[in-house]
Amino acid sequence: MNPQPAMPTPSEFLPGTVALVGAGPGDPELLTLKAVKAIASATVLLVDDLVSDGVLAHARPGARIVHVGKRGGCKSTPQAFIEKLMVMAAREGEMVVRLKGGDPFIFGRGGEEVEHLRAAGIEVQVVNGITAGLAGLTTLGVPLTHREHAHGVVFVTGHAKPGDSGTDWQALARTAHQARLTLVIYMGVSSAAQIQRDLLTGLPAHTPLAIVQNATLPSQRHAVSTLGELRATLDHEGLGSPAVIVVGDVVGGLAALQAPDALARTA
Ligand code: SAH
């Protein structure tokens, strides 16, 4: 007898609960249907920096929208305060949506927020979004994995928590080289010089890379280069945050296409 496939239960976004919702990389058309439903159900929305206005257009009229990122007026809302706000609003019977850029569980401190809400006895659900590292290279028509070029992909942060020694780039470079992995670096622009230096201990200078800034937004810009030229390319092209840096042979075809001499220069 064939087991019946389980029907997904339609999601509900109820008063007194919180939903951590992935707003995707920028383009509002990349929102999931579930994200749109959550946003439209919210009476209070706590919104991060990197969430575009087109995403907020799905909020119901009269919903309270609180910008808690650096561009929201205040310098940067402390994490503890955001968590307190969510708990307070949920206890007051609001349907709270915490809107985060990309996916809430990729470098978004979503894990910490879920733990905090659960510890406070608040019901919380998480709605995935398309993470910037996935969207960035896709906008250039290049896959993160490819049977000929990359067996896997690593999402890694260039920004360590204060007091943490951070990513071991040298170990990562060796592994990426041996195991043929694509590296997708988030928050790597400000420490690009050091990342470049350390990655070069295990990866060849001619390893292709792409830098994609404001992926999927009308303001998107990108550059294709090589690991040996990472810092110079950022400076030369004037690229800055938010950007993902994608390192690996999957970028190679694109690099050759766009800048036929880029690979030859450092080979
Ligand atoms: N949760 C987010 C990541 C938050 S960390 C996600 O899943 O995408 C913030 C970093 O994400 C930025 O420094 C940048 O590296 C990356 N990022 C976010 N939006 C981006 C975009 N539209 N284009 C390129 N990089 C982006």
Side-chain angles (χ1 to χ4, degrees):
M1 200 176 76
N2 284 334
Q4 289 296 309
M7 288 295 288
T9 326
S11 42
E12 285 195 280
F13 298 98
L14 301 173
T17 70
V18 176
L20 262 57
V21 177
D27 177 354
E29 292 196 356
L30 289 174
L31 280 171
T32 64
L33 294 176
K34 195 176 272 204
V36 171
K37 186 171 173 186
I39 295 166
S41 307
T43 54
V44 172
L45 294 108
L46 301 180
V47 183
D48 264 358
D49 263 354
L50 295 174
V51 174
S52 58
D53 291 343
V55 169
L56 292 176
H58 293 284
R60 63 160 86 159
R64 192 145 52 95
I65 298 178
V66 185
H67 290 273
V68 292
K70 291 186 189 84
R71 286 167 229 168
C74 42
K75 260 184 138 183
S76 177
T77 315
Q79 184 66 17
F81 184 69
I82 297 172
E83 288 169 1
K84 217 162 146 181
L85 266 181
M86 286 195 286
V87 171
M88 266 168 45
R91 285 195 177 140
E92 283 165 10
E94 306 283 2
M95 196 284 118
V96 183
V97 160
R98 172 82 173 103
L99 255 183
K100 291 170 157 294
D103 183 87
F105 274 177
I106 299 283
F107 307 129
R109 302 186 75 171
E112 293 166 45
E113 293 181 10
V114 166
E115 282 164 27
H116 186 87
L117 289 161
R118 288 202 180 127
I122 307 286
E123 196 183 309
V124 53
Q125 56 184 314
V126 181
V127 179
N128 284 125
I130 294 181
T131 187
L134 187 55
L137 210 51
T138 300
T139 63
L140 309 183
V142 177
L144 288 173
T145 67
H146 189 294
R147 290 207 306 183
E148 307 291 328
H149 304 297
H151 296 159
V153 52
V154 179
F155 290 159
V156 58
T157 174
H159 185 79
K161 185 177 160 187
D164 185 314
S165 59
T167 304
D168 184 341
W169 296 103
Q170 300 195 8
L172 191 59
R174 282 193 300 277
T175 308
H177 195 46
Q178 283 161 11
R180 303 181 73 191
L181 304 175
T182 305
L183 301 181
V184 181
I185 306 167
Y186 292 66
M187 294 173 275
V189 172
S190 56
S191 38
Q194 191 215 325
I195 293 172
Q196 174 182 349
R197 212 171 36 243
D198 287 348
L199 285 181
L200 281 172
T201 62
L203 282 166
H206 59 77
T207 308
L209 69 77
I211 304 153
V212 188
Q213 178 181 353
N214 291 330
T216 80
L217 289 164
S219 52
Q220 171 168 335
R221 294 178 60 222
H222 78 271
V224 175
S225 183
T226 60
L227 184 57
E229 298 279 325
L230 168 58
R231 186 64 256 177
T233 305
L234 283 167
D235 290 344
H236 185 249
E237 302 293 329
L239 289 166
S241 283
V244 285
I245 301 167
V246 186
V247 185
D249 288 340
V250 282
V251 184
L254 182 78
L257 199 72
Q258 296 201 338
D261 62 334
L263 297 177
R265 261 205 315 271
T266 47

